[in-house]
Amino acid sequence: MGAAQNTTQRRAFTSAAWVVGMVAIMVCATSHFPMAAAAAERTTTVAKTQTEKPEALPNHELWTGVATFGRSLGVYGGLTTALAGEISRPGPRMRVTGGISRYHGQHAFEVLSWQGHQIVANTHLAPVDGRKVSVQLLGGWQWTSGPAIIKAFTGVSFIQESRAATGINANWQRRAVGASAALEVWYTLSPALWTSLDLYASGAERALGAQARIGQRFGQGWSAGPELAVSASPDGHFVRAGVFVRKEFEMNEFSASFDAAKSSHERWRPFISLQWLQRY
C-alpha cells in the first residue's frame, strides 16, 4: 500500500509540473508575442519592399495645342517616343505630328473669260476661306552635350489644302507629299536662364520656319521671356514676336504665347497659342 501511495504522489506531481510548465510557456509566449509579431511584420515589409517594381520612367511626350490669329484658328498635336530608354536621355526618337486649321487669306485665281472670239486667262486676287490638314512622320536622335540638348529629325510630310473664294465662284485645292526635317536646340545659360531654337522645313508645304526663345526662371517651375518666329513659303511670309509663359510640373508642362503677328496679306494682329505637354 505504501508503494501504491508513492506512485499516486509521483503521478500527481508529474501532472502538476506539466500544468505549471504549460502555463509558463503560455505566459512566455504572451509576453513575447508583440515582439514576435513586430519581427514578422518587419520581415513582411522587407519582403514587400524587395518585390516592389521600381517606378517606370517616362519614354513618351504627348502634346496638344490651339493657336489663333485674326479670324484663323488651328489645332495641333504630336507624340514623340524614345525607342531606347527614358525620354530625357540621349537616343533614337520617333515622332508623329498633325494639325488642322481654318484661315482667311487671299489667293490668285486664274479666271478664264471670252474676249471677242478668244478665251483669255486673267489673274484675279480674291479673298478665300481656307482649310488645311497636315501630318508628319519623323525619325531622329537626341544628343546631350554639356548644357545643350539637341534633337534632329527627318521624315515625310503630307498636306491637303482647299481654298474657296468668297467674292467669285472659284475653288482651289492641292494634295502633296514631301520630305521634312526639324532641328531643336535647348541651351542652359545658367540655373536661372535658358534659350531655345527650333528650325523646320516641310517639302509638302514648301515652307521653312524658325522660332527662338529666351527664358528666365522665377521658381516653382515658372519661366517667361521674349520669343520670335518667322516662316516663309510660296504663299508669302509670316512673322510674330511677343512673350511666352511656361510652367513646368513633375511630368507635365504648360505654355502660352502672346504675340503680335503679320502675314503677307494681313496687317498686324494678336496671335495667341496655348499648349499642354504630358510625359508618360
Side-chain angles (χ1 to χ4, degrees):
M1 184 170 175
Q5 185 176 3
N6 291 336
T7 301
T8 302
Q9 290 177 351
R10 283 196 301 269
R11 288 178 178 176
F13 177 81
T14 302
S15 299
W18 183 84
V19 172
V20 172
M22 290 299 297
V23 171
I25 292 174
M26 292 178 64
V27 171
C28 291
T30 303
S31 62
H32 289 285
F33 177 77
M35 296 179 63
E41 184 178 356
R42 286 196 300 270
T43 304
T44 305
T45 303
V46 171
K48 287 183 179 179
T49 303
Q50 292 176 348
T51 57
E52 284 179 354
K53 294 182 179 180
E55 184 179 355
L57 297 175
N59 62 340
H60 302 281
E61 279 185 345
L62 175 67
W63 69 91
T64 183
V66 59
T68 177
F69 167 65
R71 293 186 299 164
S72 303
L73 178 66
V75 179
Y76 61 91
L79 173 67
T80 300
T81 299
L83 302 180
E86 198 254 332
I87 191 69
S88 65
R89 297 185 179 181
R93 298 288 188 271
M94 286 292 294
R95 174 180 289 182
V96 58
T97 66
I100 302 174
S101 62
R102 181 175 181 178
Y103 60 91
H104 297 273
Q106 292 182 328
H107 183 83
F109 291 95
E110 189 177 75
V111 180
L112 303 179
S113 62
W114 283 97
Q115 291 185 2
H117 299 286
Q118 295 180 342
I119 298 177
V120 179
N122 297 310
T123 300
H124 183 79
L125 188 64
V128 295
D129 181 12
R131 292 172 173 83
K132 181 168 64 175
V133 178
S134 61
V135 178
Q136 286 187 326
L137 180 61
L138 306 171
W141 200 275
Q142 176 174 313
W143 295 270
T144 300
S145 178
I149 300 175
I150 304 171
K151 304 175 186 178
F153 295 92
T154 185
V156 63
S157 60
F158 166 81
I159 183 175
Q160 177 174 317
E161 187 174 9
S162 64
R163 296 173 182 174
T166 57
I168 59 175
N169 185 19
N171 294 281
W172 174 90
Q173 61 181 0
R174 66 166 172 166
R175 291 182 180 178
V177 178
S180 291
L183 177 65
E184 302 170 1
V185 179
W186 177 288
Y187 195 90
T188 301
L189 299 171
S190 70
L193 193 64
W194 58 268
T195 183
S196 66
L197 176 65
D198 299 339
L199 307 174
Y200 75 89
S202 172
E205 297 186 70
R206 293 183 295 169
L208 299 173
Q211 175 179 279
R213 284 178 169 179
I214 298 178
Q216 173 72 45
R217 290 190 173 93
F218 297 99
Q220 302 296 322
W222 288 98
S223 60
E227 66 177 3
L228 173 67
V230 296
S231 63
S233 71
D235 294 327
H237 68 270
F238 183 78
V239 58
R240 60 183 176 89
V243 297
F244 73 92
V245 178
R246 185 168 175 262
K247 169 64 174 176
E248 297 177 78
F249 302 91
E250 184 177 357
M251 290 292 180
N252 312 321
E253 179 183 311
F254 170 78
S255 62
S257 294
F258 306 94
D259 302 338
K262 183 183 183 303
S263 68
S264 299
H265 311 294
E266 294 280 350
R267 58 183 176 85
W268 287 96
R269 297 178 183 273
F271 174 94
I272 299 175
S273 70
L274 306 173
Q275 178 176 294
W276 176 262
L277 183 144
Q278 174 78 45
R279 297 179 181 91
Y280 65 95

